[in-house]
Amino acid sequence: MAQLRISVIVGSVRDGRISLPIATWVMDRIAARAEFDAELLDLAEWDLPMFAEPNPPATGRYTGEKQRAWAEKIGTADGYILVAPEYNHGMSGALKNALDTVYAEWGRKPVAFVAHGGMGGARSVEQLRQVAVALAMAPLSSAVHLQGAAKLREGDRFNAGEIEDRRLSALFDELLWWGRALNAARGGN
Ligand SMILES: Cc1cc2nc3c(=O)[nH]c(=O)nc-3n(C[C@H](O)[C@H](O)[C@H](O)COP(=O)(O)O)c2cc1C
């Protein structure tokens, strides 16, 4: 069976963000799973402009250069893992902007969340699930919620413990199930 192509999206763009070490941990663990072919998408590197396109993305009429490049990139994935911080009881603006920038490319694909914050990023994930449904995505019911993530950080590294690793592995299992099911339903492999 073909590998499932997963984009791991870093949902924070600020200096010193913990989302990047967490995303690096996710990438490290997913690389050990032969069923996946994962790619890191760092929104700080993508530097997507604040959405200001003339056409709603649902029309499919993309005009901006970055919008087109983002559409192509998002379109190649079979599913997504969003590494999501919680800002003021919600998702980060960078993540919402990245989601808003294109439309059809997200649709009928699973999205999983690895969130962090005082409440494990729970409120951010609840909002993200609503947005994912608006984009015709299939948000997973389980998520990895990291509470006190800063304590596990050592510079660029996120030193996950056994519990975090186990939860992430369970998330991969669920993502694999949905990813394969939806690929088949879309007529893929
Ligand atoms: C603008 C802003 C708002 C925040 N609001 C919340 C919040 O509502 N709940 C929470 O648990 N943490 C909140 N935090 C703390 C973040 O969860 C914490 O700073 C985390 O490291 C942010 O992720 P990042 O480092 O990847 O940007 C906030 C941080 C910022 C910068």
Side-chain angles (χ1 to χ4, degrees):
M1 203 174 273
Q3 286 180 307
L4 205 66
R5 287 165 301 184
I6 299 297
S7 293
V8 177
I9 301 180
V10 184
S12 169
V13 297
R14 70 183 188 91
D15 284 347
R17 60 212 162 130
I18 196 171
S19 290
L20 185 57
I22 292 173
T24 306
W25 163 61
V26 173
M27 286 298 292
D28 183 56
R29 296 301 185 267
I30 205 169
R33 299 276 302 248
E35 313 96 304
F36 297 103
D37 173 16
E39 180 180 27
L40 187 81
L41 301 184
D42 183 350
L43 293 182
E45 277 176 16
W46 272 86
D47 196 22
L48 295 169
M50 181 59 71
F51 183 76
E53 294 294 327
N55 308 309
T59 63
R61 297 199 304 273
Y62 301 155
T63 53
E65 200 180 308
K66 283 245 175 107
Q67 186 187 31
R68 285 190 172 135
W70 186 240
E72 198 181 325
K73 181 56 76 181
I74 295 307
T76 60
D78 300 316
Y80 311 90
I81 297 175
L82 307 186
V83 177
E86 180 168 307
Y87 289 169
N88 297 312
H89 295 196
M91 73 188 78
S92 67
L95 210 40
K96 179 65 162 61
N97 190 52
L99 288 163
D100 287 343
T101 294
V102 297
Y103 182 80
E105 291 74 11
W106 300 111
R108 299 178 174 180
K109 297 177 186 172
V111 56
F113 308 98
V114 175
H116 51 94
M119 311 277 284
R123 293 165 294 209
S124 170
V125 170
E126 284 305 303
Q127 288 191 352
L128 283 163
R129 286 201 176 105
Q130 291 183 18
V131 173
V133 168
L135 289 164
M137 303 176 90
L140 268 50
S141 63
S142 56
V144 174
H145 292 284
L146 301 166
Q147 248 173 331
K151 285 191 218 117
L152 299 177
R153 181 184 195 167
E154 213 178 304
D156 292 344
R157 279 191 58 79
F158 180 68
N159 297 316
E162 204 184 310
I163 292 175
E164 290 82 16
D165 278 337
R166 206 169 46 234
R167 288 180 180 154
L168 185 61
S169 178
L171 195 77
F172 291 161
D173 292 342
E174 196 181 344
L175 185 59
L176 186 66
W177 191 94
W178 281 99
R180 283 185 173 158
L182 293 176
N183 267 7
R186 292 197 313 277
N189 43 40

